[in-house]
Amino acid sequence: MLASAAGDFFKMGAERKKFRPTVILLMASALNMSTLAPDGMLETSYNELYDRQLSIAVITEMIHAASLLHSDVLDDTETRRGIGSLNCFMENKMAVLAGDVLLSRALVALTSLGNNEVVALISRSVQHQVTGETMQMTAASEQRCSSLYDSFFGCCMEYYMEKTYNKTAALISNSCQAVSIITGQTAEVSMLAYDYGRNLGVAFQLIDDVLDFTGTSASLGKGSLSAIRHGIIAAPILFAIEEFPQLCKIVDRGFQNPADVDLASEILGKSNGIQRAIELASEHANLAAAAIKSLPKTDNADVRRSRQALVDLTRLVITRKR
């Protein structure tokens, strides 16, 4: 029953992004710089290599889906991908256990790859996700800024960016690096793959936070302003506080009053918070593109197409509407 529930989750909004496996499979192709496998063996070994790269993409999506199931319970989310979330159809405990099934099967598949470095990398991503979710839940006092305004960027934004890396970017970056390791690349190339995933993941989350204010419920598949209604303070609000310090008092109250949500949205509309968040996302997208452009040169047409697709993806992340 749990496995069936977890499987149903993948069918919900199946036309949606599938962002992470897309990135990982493109990265795998972008690093396959020869028609030979890294060990010099011929096509059979190369096909085995691709199967292992594909496994990393599948494992990553399973871990991500498990985190969504757990997050929906923690946030009491009612919709996911435009329809009712799994915890709305079954009790919270069953939704959590369905997430546990996905996570456990992902980790079993991960260990079957037989590469300890890859196992450590992706397992660490799960730890990062827990840290990021905890940071978001606790809304630590460091994020409250009415008494810390003078150290705004040294405190509030640093906290937000650390949470963003842990919650979103760590899984993408570590999975990109894992694909590089499986492909037999050098430490330098593996770090470029990691840098791409890290910066793309940060840019992706920044735009997600922007869309929470500018998107519609229909386009997002969730309620607009859902994050701020849960008291989650994201980059647009943090940038707006720099222009309108009075917004700090509203943030400190925790948005329990719906009127505070409306007031914060009004102040945000007067500020440059949205635009500055988009600009920050663009900076990270540019860093991601630069990482791909720094990879060793190749004449392989398929590799070059995949690299261009990864660069194109950095622009799509910035311009997307959902």
Side-chain angles (χ1 to χ4, degrees):
M1 181 177 64
L2 290 173
S4 176
D8 287 343
F9 182 81
F10 281 98
K11 299 174 187 176
M12 295 164 55
E15 76 286 355
R16 294 284 176 170
K17 296 182 284 283
K18 296 294 185 293
F19 174 68
R20 288 154 188 82
T22 299
V23 171
I24 293 162
L25 291 176
L26 282 173
M27 182 62 73
S29 179
L31 297 178
N32 290 344
M33 295 180 230
S34 170
T35 55
L36 298 178
D39 59 6
M41 299 299 289
L42 293 174
E43 189 174 351
T44 300
S45 293
Y46 190 73
N47 288 339
E48 291 174 359
L49 170 65
Y50 177 78
D51 287 343
R52 295 175 64 171
Q53 293 168 334
L54 180 60
S55 292
I56 291 176
V58 172
I59 289 164
T60 300
E61 184 70 0
M62 291 174 72
I63 292 172
H64 171 61
S67 74
L68 293 181
L69 287 170
H70 290 159
S71 182
D72 284 350
V73 172
L74 291 172
D75 298 338
D76 198 24
T77 301
E78 295 182 354
T79 60
R80 168 67 63 182
R81 298 171 178 170
I83 61 177
S85 56
L86 194 61
N87 50 298
C88 286
F89 294 107
M90 57 175 60
E91 61 180 273
N92 282 346
K93 181 182 288 188
M94 297 299 287
V96 170
L97 290 174
D100 291 346
V101 168
L102 273 178
L103 184 59
S104 63
R105 291 190 175 182
L107 296 179
V108 168
L110 179 61
T111 57
S112 70
L113 293 175
N115 187 305
N116 290 338
E117 190 174 2
V118 168
V119 171
L121 267 176
I122 298 184
S123 297
R124 200 176 302 138
S125 299
V126 178
Q127 181 180 343
H128 281 298
Q129 285 185 322
V130 173
T131 299
E133 194 68 51
T134 302
M135 291 177 73
Q136 183 167 288
M137 285 176 58
T138 55
S141 59
E142 287 85 354
Q143 202 177 15
R144 300 302 190 197
C145 48
S146 55
S147 62
L148 297 167
Y149 179 72
D150 290 339
S151 59
F152 171 74
F153 279 105
C155 187
C156 298
M157 185 58 77
E158 181 180 353
Y159 187 94
Y160 166 79
M161 294 299 287
E162 182 182 354
K163 183 266 293 181
T164 295
Y165 169 73
N166 283 316
K167 195 167 185 290
T168 303
L171 180 59
I172 302 174
S173 58
N174 286 349
S175 296
C176 284
Q177 188 173 11
V179 161
S180 177
I181 291 168
I182 286 289
T183 311
Q185 299 299 327
T186 65
E188 181 181 3
V189 170
S190 292
M191 187 52 62
L192 288 172
Y194 171 86
D195 288 343
Y196 176 85
R198 179 187 181 102
N199 285 293
L200 189 74
V202 169
F204 184 92
Q205 185 58 53
L206 281 163
I207 295 301
D208 242 22
D209 292 340
V210 166
L211 289 174
D212 192 54
F213 294 98
T214 62
T216 64
S217 296
S219 65
L220 299 176
K222 60 182 178 180
S224 188
L225 299 179
S226 62
I228 195 172
R229 293 183 195 280
H230 283 92
I232 299 170
I233 311 305
I237 290 291
L238 294 176
F239 282 124
I241 287 171
E242 192 181 27
E243 293 179 68
F244 297 95
Q246 64 267 33
L247 188 52
C248 283
K249 293 182 180 179
I250 301 173
V251 170
D252 282 340
R253 291 200 291 264
F255 298 101
Q256 297 301 312
N257 186 342
D260 280 344
V261 176
D262 296 334
L263 183 56
S265 297
E266 180 182 345
I267 294 174
L268 177 63
K270 297 176 182 177
S271 75
N272 293 314
I274 295 290
Q275 184 57 38
R276 291 183 67 187
I278 294 173
E279 290 171 358
L280 181 58
S282 296
E283 289 176 16
H284 282 280
N286 289 337
L287 288 171
I292 296 302
K293 293 174 183 178
S294 297
L295 290 170
K297 303 298 181 184
T298 177
D299 293 327
N300 187 305
D302 289 336
V303 170
R304 293 172 68 175
R305 276 194 293 269
S306 295
R307 292 182 183 182
Q308 186 58 52
L310 287 170
V311 172
D312 292 344
L313 194 56
T314 66
R315 293 194 290 269
L316 288 172
V317 162
I318 301 302
T319 58
R320 67 191 176 92
K321 301 301 179 186
R322 66 177 189 180

